[in-house]
Amino acid sequence: MALLEVTNLGISFGGLRAVDEFNLSIEKGELYGLIGPNGAGKTTVFNMLTGIYKPTDGKIFLDKTDITGRKTADINKAGVARTFQNIRLFGDQSVLDNVKIGLHNSFEYGTATGILRLPKYFATEKEMNNKALEILSVFGLDSAADILASNLPYGKQRELEIARALATGPKLLLLDEPAAGMNPNETRDLMNTIALIRKEFGITILLIEHDMKLVSGICEKLTVLNFGRVLSSGLTSDVLNDPEVIKAYLGE
Amino acid sequence: MKNMNKSTQKLLSTIGVIVVLYIVLSVMEGTGNLSSLLSGLLVPVCAYSLVAVGLNLCVGYLGELSLGHAGFMCVGAFASAFFSKVFMNTIPDVPRFILSLLIGTCFAALFGFLIAIPVLRLSGDYLAIVTLAFGEIIKNVINVIYIGMDSKGLHFSMKDMLSLGMEPGGTLVVNGAQGITGTPRQSTFTLAVILLILALVITHNFVNSRTGRAVKAIRDNQIAAETVGLPITKYKLIAFTISAAIAGVGGVLYAHNINSLIATTNNFGYNMSIMILVYVVLGGIGNFSGSVVAAVVLTLLPELLRGLSTYRMLIYSIVLIALMLFNWAPSILEYRNKHGLTAAAIAAKFKKKNTKEVS
C-alpha cells in the first residue's frame, strides 16, 4: 500500500461542494504535485489531510493507519507536516525557537523541570539547540538563528517554515505554494533546496504550485484539480500533455 | 542563546533593583524615616505586583485577556485566611503560614484550572466577559458564606449565622459579608519581597522553557502550532493555572496583612481586576519587570498625591494617559527610537559606560 492513500475524499461547506471524489495515492519517496486553477480546492485538500477541516466523506490512510478526521496535532504526530500559502511563523520568537517548537515532541522534559531548571533542562535544551541548528544549516539559516522570525526576508521565511515542518520528523511533507511571491532566482534556489531535503531527510513530498517550471522540473507525478474534482492524474509529462488539462488550466 | 542571556540579564537586574529598594526601605523603616502611610503600603504593593505578574503571564504569553484575576486573588486570600484562622491555636506560627501559603496558592490554581476548562474554549472579548463574571461570582458567593467551628467540627451555611447551629462556645470563622476577622498579620515586607522575586524567577524560567515556547507558539499562531503537533488545550490550561496560582499568592499576602478580610468591589472586584490590567498594560505586555514597576508607581502615586485632595484622581488619570501614550503611541515610539529613548537603547548606553569605567 502507498504511503498516502486517499479515497473518495469530499467536503461540503453548506451547499457548496468544495472537493468531491478526490483520490490520491503517493508512494514512499515520491515528489508529487497538486495543481489546478485558483479556487479548485487544492488548499482545501491540504486542510483535510492535516485535520484542519474534517472531510464529509472519504478516507485518508497514512502508512496503513486511518487518520481521517483526527485532530491536527495527532496527524502531525502520525507523520504529516505542512507549510502554509500565507506564511504562518511564530513571528515574535527567534528563528532558532521556531525550529525548537517543531522539535517539541521529539524532546521531553516537564513543566516543573523547566521552572526549577533541573540538570535535565540544560541537557535537553542543549541537545535541542544542536539539533535545531543542524536543521537550520541545511537552509543556510544557522547564521540567522537569533533573529526574530518576522524580521527575516520573505524567501527565508518560507524556508524557515519548511525547516520547522521538517523538525517535527514527518514521513510526508505538504508544501502549499512554496514558490509564491519568489523571483526566478529564488525559485531556482528553492527547487534545489527541495531536492536536497528530499535526499537528506528521505521524506515524501506533496506540493501545491502554480509555477509550471518548478512543477515540471521536480515533480514526478501530478494530480490536476478543477472545480473540486480530479481532472487528470499520472506521470508529469502525460498529465501536462493531457488536452483536458491544457484546456482547463495551462491554456492553449 | 544570546536571546536567553538577554532576558536572564534583565531578570537579574530587576531582582537587583528590588533588593536595593528593599534594603533602602527597610533601613528607612527601621530608623523611623518612613511615613506610616508609606510603610503600610509596602506589603500591598508587593501583593499587587504579584497579581500583575500573574496576569501578565496570561495576557502577554497566553495572549488571552482575563478580567477575573482579582477573583483568583480573592480565592487565595480567603482559602489561606480560613486555614490560618481555623488552626490559629493548634499549629505554630511559621509552619502554619507556610501551609496557608501553599493552600491559598493551590486553591487559586485549582479555581484557575476549573475556570479555564470552559473559558479557554472562548477567546478575545468572550473570554474577558466570562472571566469578569467569574470574579464577580466568587466575590458574591464569599459574601454569603458562614462557617463556624466548635468542638464537633466545622459548620457551614449560606443563609445566616444562626442556621449554623453552633454550640455556645464555638467561634465564627467566616461571617458572611463581614468576612474573616482576626487572622494573624504575618505578611512582612521581607516575606513579600522574597515571594515577588520567586514569582519573577518562576515566570522567567517558565516562558523560556519548552512549555513556555509552546505557549508562545499558540499565542503567535494557533493553527501553525497545531500543525507542528502541540496539544493546544493542555498548554493553555497549564499557563492559565500558573497565572491564577501566582495571583493567589498575591491574595495570601494581602489577606495576612490586614485584620479583617472582606470581599468588596474595591479589593477583589471588577475595579481591582481592571487596576491590575492597567499595571500590566502600562508596564508592557509580556514584560514582567514592567508590571512590577507599574504596580509600584501606580499604587504609590495616588497616596503621595493625597495632599492635593480632590485633584489627585484627576492628576492620576492624566499620568495614566501620558504613560499610555509614551508606551504605545506610534508617533512617540518613533521619536523615542530616533533619539535612543527606548529601554534597550538606554540599557546599552549604561553598559558602555560601565565597560569604560572598568577599562
Side-chain angles (χ1 to χ4, degrees):
Chain A
M1 201 175 179
L3 177 75
L4 181 74
E5 191 76 56
V6 179
T7 49
N8 290 327
L9 201 64
I11 188 167
S12 305
F13 298 108
L16 178 77
R17 190 75 179 159
V19 173
D20 195 27
E21 287 180 29
F22 179 79
N23 291 293
L24 184 69
S25 172
I26 305 179
E27 296 295 335
K28 198 165 180 293
E30 268 180 340
L31 210 168
Y32 205 107
L34 182 60
I35 60 172
N38 288 327
K42 304 181 295 292
T43 300
T44 307
V45 168
F46 267 30
N47 284 340
M48 285 192 282
L49 291 179
T50 50
I52 292 171
Y53 295 156
K54 305 245 174 296
T56 330
D57 330 87
K59 288 276 174 207
I60 305 165
F61 289 93
L62 182 80
D63 234 3
K64 290 163 204 148
T65 1
D66 186 358
I67 57 166
T68 323
R70 278 218 245 160
K71 278 192 188 149
T72 306
D74 293 336
I75 289 177
N76 175 263
K77 281 180 200 157
V80 181
R82 71 172 287 183
T83 66
F84 295 88
Q85 190 177 349
N86 45 343
I87 305 174
R88 289 174 181 270
L89 285 171
F90 307 126
D92 269 353
Q93 301 193 64
S94 72
V95 169
L96 186 74
D97 279 353
N98 267 271
V99 179
K100 279 166 89 177
I101 292 162
L103 292 169
H104 187 88
N105 288 325
S106 326
F107 293 87
E108 185 80 46
Y109 68 79
T111 307
T113 314
I115 289 176
L116 299 173
R117 295 264 157 123
L118 301 177
K120 197 180 171 198
Y121 161 85
F122 292 101
T124 317
E125 283 289 311
K126 206 178 158 196
E127 270 180 66
M128 285 177 102
N129 281 336
N130 292 339
K131 181 78 189 162
L133 285 172
E134 198 184 299
I135 294 170
L136 283 174
S137 67
V138 174
F139 299 86
L141 276 167
D142 46 343
S143 54
D146 292 329
I147 297 175
L148 276 190
S150 53
N151 290 344
L152 281 181
Y154 186 78
K156 290 284 164 196
Q157 290 197 7
R158 287 222 172 267
E159 294 191 338
L160 177 59
E161 224 192 1
I162 299 176
R164 183 183 69 192
L166 285 173
T168 64
K171 295 173 189 161
L172 175 70
L173 178 62
L174 310 180
L175 302 175
D176 196 346
E177 295 202 26
M182 285 187 173
N183 63 37
N185 286 333
E186 286 176 319
T187 308
R188 202 174 335 112
D189 287 347
L190 181 79
M191 278 167 73
N192 293 333
T193 317
I194 292 175
L196 182 75
I197 54 174
R198 190 180 165 204
K199 210 170 75 190
E200 204 141 297
F201 294 88
I203 55 170
T204 313
I205 298 173
L206 170 63
L207 61 84
I208 295 177
E209 190 49 71
H210 282 300
D211 189 321
M212 277 306 127
K213 224 188 230 165
L214 187 142
V215 169
S216 57
I218 60 173
C219 293
E220 284 136 17
K221 284 188 188 168
L222 288 182
T223 287
V224 187
L225 264 183
N226 196 23
F227 295 114
R229 284 171 167 274
V230 176
L231 192 66
S232 171
S233 79
L235 291 174
T236 303
S237 51
D238 296 347
V239 170
L240 291 183
N241 290 321
D242 186 334
E244 287 285 316
V245 175
I246 294 174
K247 199 171 137 206
Y249 181 48
L250 299 173
E252 284 163 286
Chain B
M1 291 284 270
K2 227 186 212 163
N3 214 346
M4 198 174 89
N5 285 340
K6 220 191 244 168
S7 70
T8 313
Q9 256 174 27
K10 192 175 163 201
L11 172 74
L12 291 178
S13 52
T14 310
I15 292 178
V17 171
I18 292 176
V19 169
V20 169
L21 270 179
Y22 163 71
I23 293 171
V24 170
L25 286 170
S26 300
V27 168
M28 279 173 76
E29 203 184 13
T31 53
N33 282 322
L34 211 58
S35 70
S36 64
L37 185 79
L38 212 55
S39 72
L41 275 174
L42 294 178
V43 175
V45 163
C46 292
Y48 298 148
S49 301
L50 269 163
V51 184
V53 167
L55 181 62
N56 207 341
L57 184 65
C58 181
V59 176
Y61 290 88
L62 186 61
E64 299 293 1
L65 178 62
S66 160
L67 291 179
H69 266 57
F72 299 124
M73 188 183 172
C74 183
V75 170
F78 274 86
S80 65
F82 176 74
F83 179 84
S84 290
K85 174 103 191 209
V86 169
F87 293 98
M88 188 102 119
N89 304 316
T90 41
I91 305 179
D93 279 357
V94 176
R96 189 188 58 225
F97 183 77
I98 293 172
L99 279 174
S100 75
L101 177 64
L102 284 178
I103 283 173
T105 313
C106 290
F107 260 84
L110 178 73
F111 272 77
F113 179 76
L114 292 176
I115 301 296
I117 294 171
V119 156
L120 289 178
R121 287 167 186 273
L122 308 168
S123 61
D125 301 348
Y126 303 103
L127 190 136
I129 292 166
V130 176
T131 48
L132 171 65
F134 155 73
E136 293 298 305
I137 291 168
I138 286 283
K139 190 193 76 199
N140 288 316
V141 166
I142 281 175
N143 275 330
V144 295
I145 286 181
Y146 295 84
I147 300 175
M149 184 176 62
D150 58 19
S151 59
K152 280 190 203 136
L154 292 173
H155 298 261
F156 177 85
S157 163
M158 289 185 86
K159 232 164 95 194
D160 55 37
M161 209 168 101
L162 292 172
S163 55
L164 288 172
M166 279 196 301
E167 290 170 1
T171 47
L172 198 57
V173 184
V174 185
N175 185 15
Q178 267 102 59
I180 302 177
T181 46
T183 41
R185 292 189 59 175
Q186 282 178 305
S187 298
T188 60
F189 185 40
T190 313
L191 192 79
V193 168
I194 292 172
L195 287 174
L196 180 58
I197 290 174
L198 260 179
L200 285 171
V201 171
I202 287 173
T203 46
H204 167 266
N205 285 356
F206 177 76
V207 299
N208 290 300
S209 73
R210 175 172 169 268
T211 315
R213 268 197 306 272
V215 171
K216 284 186 276 180
I218 293 164
R219 169 200 66 186
D220 284 352
N221 200 316
Q222 185 163 334
I223 288 180
E226 278 177 75
T227 58
V228 295
L230 300 181
I232 307 291
T233 317
K234 177 183 159 191
Y235 287 123
K236 276 188 168 182
L237 279 178
I238 291 177
F240 198 82
T241 306
I242 294 179
S243 167
I246 295 173
V249 176
V252 175
L253 271 182
Y254 183 91
H256 289 80
N257 187 49
I258 46 179
N259 275 324
S260 62
L261 181 64
I262 310 165
T264 65
T265 315
N266 281 330
N267 60 5
F268 292 129
Y270 172 69
N271 286 354
M272 182 47 83
S273 284
I274 294 290
M275 219 39 249
I276 303 285
L277 185 65
V278 168
Y279 301 156
V280 170
V281 173
L282 288 183
I285 288 172
N287 180 351
F288 295 120
S289 317
S291 301
V292 177
V293 175
V296 171
V297 170
L298 294 181
T299 318
L300 294 185
L301 197 63
E303 299 303 330
L304 296 177
L305 291 176
R306 236 170 231 286
L308 299 168
S309 64
T310 39
Y311 292 107
R312 78 191 171 105
M313 285 330 272
L314 186 69
I315 292 176
Y316 180 74
S317 48
I318 290 171
V319 169
L320 275 188
I321 293 168
L323 269 174
M324 194 168 64
L325 289 174
F326 184 73
N327 271 337
W328 296 99
S331 52
I332 294 177
L333 283 180
E334 200 179 303
Y335 178 85
R336 286 171 64 193
N337 277 327
K338 225 189 242 168
H339 296 80
L341 287 171
T342 56
I346 292 167
K349 241 180 234 170
F350 261 104
K351 225 188 210 168
K352 248 185 218 163
K353 231 188 230 167
N354 284 341
T355 45
K356 256 183 209 161
E357 276 166 18
V358 170
S359 60

